[in-house]
Amino acid sequence: MPVSGGGPLSGKTALVTGASRNIGREICLRLAREGAHVCVNTRRAEEEARAVVAEVEAAGGSASLHMADVTDEAAVAAMAEAAGPVDILVNNAAIRRHVPFLDSTLADWREAQAVVLEGAYLCAHAVLGSMQAKGWGRIINMGGVSAHMGMAERAHVSAAKAGLIGFTKGLAKEFGPDGITVNCVVPGVIDTVRDPGGLSPGQASAVPIAVGRQGRPEEVAETVVHLCQPTSAYITGATIHVNGGAYLP
């Protein structure tokens, strides 16, 4: 990554949740390259998140670590205060485990809704006031292609990700007059380090993709960063798919 500083996002502060690896890490690196100070959030992967901060700083960028559970209202409020005022919020924290529906529990369901949907609500609620006061802001909600295509054993996650679409549109309408844009970026099958219980390499390779390969985290990050630019002020309420043609709306 080239040395950052003086870019179009210079002077902006970006908070990226679930940012210790994969797409979240790449978003942090790219936002820092554009000049933003990046707040790297994780719930428990402290060592990996510190490595992201170090990587940003080694390239000449600015970053800080913020340990917080996005489902904890008090923790999110404290994180926003420590990081703020936040100009860019990327709601990337997620649950990706596969669970056969009849084997799933109400706890599985509630965990997915809490992390994906309620986490996005709490983080947005914590930063939108300062964005509104400044008259500028960018919120990116990270969706999931399973919410559009359907996927066995992921009803709990698909429902939560589908909720983000309505959440995105509602905020876009309400805060558009304040110079704040809100969009949803939906990655397809991306070549990432997967958690136990997530999509297996075999399952991932079975998804037909028009371009003939899985995506790379940096390709998703490029779209996110584009939406954060001052020049993207006329894009809001959109759901943008980055999936190589695996799903064609």
Side-chain angles (χ1 to χ4, degrees):
M1 187 179 87
V3 173
S4 64
L9 297 179
S10 180
K12 305 295 186 187
T13 295
L15 171 60
V16 184
T17 67
S20 62
R21 58 180 176 170
N22 295 331
I23 293 171
R25 168 185 169 272
E26 289 293 340
I27 291 171
C28 289
L29 297 179
R30 284 290 289 110
L31 287 171
R33 186 190 300 174
E34 297 295 300
H37 171 79
V38 179
C39 300
V40 181
N41 161 260
T42 186
R43 179 178 61 172
R44 58 182 178 226
E46 182 174 357
E47 185 175 342
E48 290 178 297
R50 286 193 184 279
V52 176
V53 171
E55 192 171 359
V56 168
E57 292 177 340
S62 175
S64 54
L65 173 66
H66 296 265
M67 300 288 296
D69 182 344
V70 298
T71 70
D72 183 325
E73 185 174 10
V76 169
M79 175 173 64
E81 183 176 359
V86 172
D87 304 286
I88 296 166
L89 169 65
V90 182
N91 284 312
N92 181 63
I95 292 289
R96 298 180 175 88
R97 286 190 294 275
H98 279 232
V99 182
F101 183 72
L102 292 179
D103 293 338
S104 67
T105 65
L106 185 56
D108 293 323
W109 176 268
R110 286 177 172 168
E111 181 186 33
Q113 311 313 305
V115 174
V116 175
L117 199 49
E118 292 177 14
Y121 164 83
L122 289 173
C123 290
H125 200 274
V127 305
L128 269 165
S130 62
M131 289 182 179
Q132 194 174 44
K134 282 187 172 186
W136 197 96
R138 300 286 185 267
I139 296 178
I140 312 295
N141 297 315
M142 301 301 294
V145 74
S146 67
H148 302 266
M149 297 176 67
M151 187 173 291
E153 302 182 356
R154 292 198 75 173
H156 56 315
V157 175
S158 297
K161 291 291 190 178
L164 283 179
I165 300 167
F167 181 63
T168 296
K169 292 178 179 181
L171 291 186
K173 286 284 190 179
E174 185 168 349
F175 293 96
D178 299 309
I180 300 165
T181 66
V182 187
N183 292 288
C184 183
V185 172
V186 184
V189 181
I190 308 300
D191 187 9
T192 60
V193 177
R194 304 183 191 279
D195 293 322
L199 195 68
S200 71
Q203 289 170 316
S205 63
V207 177
I209 302 171
V211 302
R213 64 171 175 85
Q214 294 180 27
R216 297 185 293 271
E218 57 267 30
E219 292 175 311
V220 180
E222 287 289 344
T223 299
V224 171
V225 173
H226 172 70
L227 293 170
C228 293
Q229 300 290 345
T231 51
S232 295
Y234 208 58
I235 306 172
T236 195
T239 297
I240 300 176
H241 292 268
V242 185
N243 61 44
Y247 170 73
L248 302 174

